Amino acid sequence: MINSELFIEQFHFLRPYWLLLLLPLSALIYWRWRREEQATVWKKRLPEHLRQALLVNEATWRNNLPLKGLIVVAVIATVIAAGPSWYRQASPFAEEAAPLVVVLDVSSSMRQTDVAPSRLFIAKQKVLQLLELRNRGKVSLVVFAGSAHLAMPPTMDLAVLEPLLNAIKPEMMPREGKFAEYALSPIESALATASSSGSVLLVTDGLSDAAMAAFQRYFSTYEHQLLIWGVGQTQSKAKFPLEEQRLSSLAREVSGKWIPFTVDHSDVDVLASSIAQHAKFTGAENEPWYDSGYVLLAPLMLLYLLWFRRGWIVQWIIVIVLVGGAGYSPNTYAKSMSWADIWLTKDQQGQRLFNQQQYDKAAKVFQEPYWKATAYYFAGDYQSAQQYYLRVDTVEAQLGAAAALAHQREYMAARRLYREILDNVPGNKTASHNLELMEAIIKHINEFSEGQQSSGEMESSQELGEQPETADGVTQELDPSLLKEEKLSAEELLASAEAHKKWMKRVGSDLSVFLALKFQRQLELGLATQKPVIRGQEAN
């Protein structure tokens, strides 16, 4: 969608001298109009009743349509040649001058579920949406709790950043707390090589007094833009509500911008617009302007194709151009807008697909979370179904989420959810029946595990995977001598292909383990609790 303010501010012509052709065209139109006026002077001298009787097919706007169509063609062709433009296009041979640093709060308060399923989950999803919408330039990721760490140095590869961002969770942080002031040091490191000032996106639900003061000093000294995106609700049952007043006041004091959380996509759009605006004034002027005149080629070619005949058929040019151009925009074909969007809402389209048992397509079309989750459930995507069920606070949605957990073999989590439903709604038959089923499955797995232990079988079954909590489990003691820690040097990893493959498999299995070890090492070296040296101040 085109931002009207940006459109008005940035609209211009790349080759404005071509517009001079409109002067002779205007003169030609004026000469033609004056000629017709002079040719019809005698008609005006006739009385009205005689003129209606004597004249047949008196000239109207329909006359000379080919000539009028030619004028329209000339105007469109002139505008195309002038090159209208109102936004820049990213150069494939250059990087965006203004970098972006995402500072993500992963403290314990971000676990709160006032924004379902949790503040941290929604924050990470929104950040990914922002990066996909921005889709250019270098981006860095800084995480903080009791310590702060540069999780991802500046990169343009979102394929690398996405799994790393998904692996971020509070358990991996080596120190408890909420000290955002420590994030300023990795921010400074991430922006050290930038050729111009960048944007810093702080994603959090609150700040301490020390952090407020540190951010004020830092952003009052440097020209980087501070964007504060608050995650959570200000008035909710959460133990730690969103500190909107403090965060917004910090943004005002450093000439930054405060963006509150919204359920829809509007907060992401505001963030992307703010980052783009800052980039425009910090070096993005080197990017070429996009020539939007090519959009007008479609109606122009249509006019030329219909020029094979003279006469009244040219009248249909106007109708076809209006009908074809009414729904056209530069993003129309990119979005592949369906004809059904004119007549049916997205939920109505999804319901039709659902009734036709096209569950995958229905899930992508539905906007209402419950029906979206139900479509994912019938499509077999139980993980997506669970997440969307958790966005609806009803018994039916909770039952759906529990069923999705059961299909993912998360029997323990499903049992807990069924018990929670029965605590709130005693006597629910569906929950009671499914709870008994979960209890039976868990009991069977426990008995099977005990049988394996008693029979001396040491090899564990990997059929159910490592993540799902399927049953209560049994305690099994292993001989410490059987556990061997293999340490390999960098030289050994490079020399042996087998050792390198084994090490990469170990690291790639769970990025959170790798990051936790990395952060712990940085904390031990004192690199995660440093404060930056503000320009013009001496280090303590």
Side-chain angles (χ1 to χ4, degrees):
M1 182 179 296
I2 299 176
N3 188 311
S4 58
E5 295 181 359
L6 289 178
F7 176 81
I8 296 174
E9 179 183 351
Q10 301 183 16
F11 181 84
H12 67 286
F13 290 97
L14 301 177
R15 300 171 293 274
Y17 293 110
W18 280 95
L19 296 177
L20 295 175
L21 291 176
L22 295 177
L23 295 177
L25 178 62
S26 301
L28 177 62
I29 295 173
Y30 178 76
W31 173 77
R32 179 70 181 182
W33 174 73
R34 291 292 300 173
R35 183 179 177 185
E36 291 183 356
E37 284 290 318
Q38 294 175 359
T40 57
V41 171
W42 64 273
K43 299 179 183 178
K44 296 179 180 180
R45 296 177 181 177
L46 293 174
E48 181 68 21
H49 64 284
L50 292 178
R51 185 169 59 189
Q52 294 180 0
L54 296 175
L55 296 180
V56 180
N57 293 331
E58 187 177 4
T60 63
W61 70 273
R62 295 184 180 85
N63 291 29
N64 298 322
L65 272 179
L67 178 60
K68 296 175 181 177
L70 180 60
I71 295 173
V72 174
V73 168
V75 171
I76 295 176
T78 303
V79 173
I80 293 175
S85 179
W86 57 87
Y87 66 95
R88 297 181 182 271
Q89 60 179 343
S91 173
F93 305 104
E95 299 177 359
E96 187 182 64
L100 171 65
V101 180
V102 178
V103 183
L104 180 62
D105 183 356
V106 292
S107 61
S108 58
S109 65
M110 294 292 285
R111 297 174 181 266
Q112 296 180 105
T113 58
D114 55 335
V115 180
S118 71
R119 292 179 178 179
L120 182 58
F121 179 88
I122 290 297
K124 293 192 292 185
Q125 295 299 311
K126 290 270 189 175
V127 168
L128 288 176
Q129 293 175 11
L130 172 64
L131 297 181
E132 291 175 359
L133 182 62
R134 183 172 178 255
N135 197 27
R136 58 175 175 168
K138 288 187 175 182
V139 59
S140 310
L141 176 63
V142 175
V143 297
F144 75 89
S147 56
H149 309 268
L150 181 61
M152 173 58 70
T155 180
M156 298 182 66
D157 192 351
L158 297 184
V160 175
L161 182 60
E162 182 174 355
L164 187 142
L165 182 61
N166 289 329
I168 297 295
K169 50 188 176 183
E171 294 84 357
M172 64 193 299
M173 301 302 292
R175 186 184 182 209
E176 288 288 336
K178 194 184 188 72
F179 308 123
E181 58 269 27
Y182 296 144
L184 292 173
S185 183
I187 289 173
E188 193 172 33
S189 300
L191 296 173
T193 58
S195 59
S196 61
S197 64
S199 297
V200 177
L201 173 60
L202 176 61
V203 186
T204 184
D205 55 7
L207 292 175
S208 64
D209 292 339
M212 294 273 291
F215 271 78
Q216 289 175 10
R217 289 194 301 270
Y218 184 86
F219 286 94
S220 298
T221 304
Y222 297 96
E223 297 180 353
H224 305 304
Q225 175 186 221
L226 176 62
L227 302 172
I228 304 179
W229 185 62
V231 187
Q233 302 292 338
T234 55
Q235 297 178 353
S236 64
K237 297 180 180 179
K239 188 174 182 180
F240 304 101
L242 172 65
E243 300 175 2
E244 180 176 356
Q245 185 175 358
R246 289 171 60 84
L247 297 175
S248 59
S249 65
L250 173 60
R252 288 194 301 270
E253 290 174 4
V254 299
S255 300
K257 193 163 189 177
W258 155 254
I259 299 93
F261 165 83
T262 60
V263 179
D264 57 13
H265 202 264
S266 59
D267 52 351
V268 178
D269 293 335
V270 172
L271 285 169
S273 176
S274 300
I275 295 171
Q277 278 286 88
H278 184 72
K280 185 184 70 171
F281 295 109
T282 56
E285 294 85 356
N286 296 326
E287 294 181 349
W289 289 97
Y290 180 75
D291 190 347
S292 302
Y294 297 110
V295 174
L296 299 174
L297 286 175
L300 181 65
M301 295 304 298
L302 184 60
L303 286 168
Y304 274 120
L305 289 175
L306 295 178
W307 208 263
F308 64 96
R309 290 185 61 184
R310 294 186 60 187
W312 66 270
I313 195 170
V314 182
Q315 300 177 48
W316 292 102
I317 295 175
I318 299 176
V319 178
I320 295 174
V321 170
L322 291 177
V323 172
Y328 182 85
S329 70
N331 297 326
T332 300
Y333 297 112
K335 294 181 180 179
S336 300
M337 181 177 179
S338 172
W339 178 257
D341 290 338
I342 302 175
W343 313 104
L344 301 174
T345 65
K346 290 294 185 181
D347 289 332
Q348 290 172 335
Q349 296 176 47
Q351 188 63 57
R352 291 186 61 185
L353 293 170
F354 188 91
N355 294 338
Q356 296 170 7
Q357 299 183 359
Q358 300 182 39
Y359 303 120
D360 286 325
K361 295 181 180 179
K364 296 176 181 178
V365 173
F366 271 125
Q367 292 182 338
E368 202 281 324
Y370 181 82
W371 278 105
K372 194 177 191 73
T374 304
Y376 273 124
Y377 183 88
F378 277 87
D381 188 351
Y382 301 114
Q383 186 175 9
S384 298
Q386 174 197 348
Q387 297 301 327
Y388 282 102
Y389 274 132
L390 291 175
R391 300 186 183 185
V392 183
D393 190 13
T394 63
V395 176
E396 291 77 11
Q398 291 177 337
L399 289 171
L405 285 169
H407 279 285
Q408 296 176 72
R409 303 184 182 183
E410 295 276 3
Y411 304 123
M412 297 288 289
R415 182 177 68 176
R416 287 194 295 268
L417 188 51
Y418 282 128
R419 287 176 176 175
E420 182 181 341
I421 294 172
L422 289 175
D423 290 339
N424 297 328
V425 188
N428 187 285
K429 295 182 179 180
T430 303
S432 299
H433 173 76
N434 290 343
L435 178 59
E436 294 176 0
L437 181 61
M438 294 300 103
E439 296 282 9
I441 294 175
I442 294 171
K443 180 180 178 181
H444 173 75
I445 295 176
N446 286 337
E447 293 175 350
F448 180 76
S449 299
E450 292 172 358
Q452 278 191 321
Q453 184 184 23
S454 61
S455 62
E457 296 180 8
M458 301 296 296
E459 184 178 356
S460 62
S461 172
Q462 296 296 321
E463 179 184 358
L464 298 179
E466 297 179 356
Q467 287 288 37
E469 188 181 2
T470 58
D472 298 311
V474 296
T475 303
Q476 183 174 5
E477 296 183 0
L478 297 178
D479 186 354
S481 63
L482 297 177
L483 300 177
K484 181 180 179 181
E485 182 179 2
E486 186 178 9
K487 296 183 178 180
L488 300 173
S489 64
E491 291 78 7
E492 292 172 331
L493 287 173
L494 293 174
S496 173
E498 182 179 355
H500 182 267
K501 181 178 180 181
K502 184 187 300 184
W503 184 82
M504 288 299 295
K505 183 177 181 181
R506 184 187 307 170
V507 173
S509 61
D510 191 353
L511 278 175
S512 61
V513 176
F514 169 74
L515 291 173
L517 294 174
K518 174 184 175 182
F519 294 166
Q520 180 65 40
R521 182 60 176 167
Q522 291 178 347
L523 182 62
E524 293 173 353
L525 296 175
L527 302 176
T529 55
Q530 293 180 346
K531 296 182 180 179
V533 178
I534 306 299
R535 185 171 55 200
Q537 299 180 1
E538 295 182 358
N540 295 328

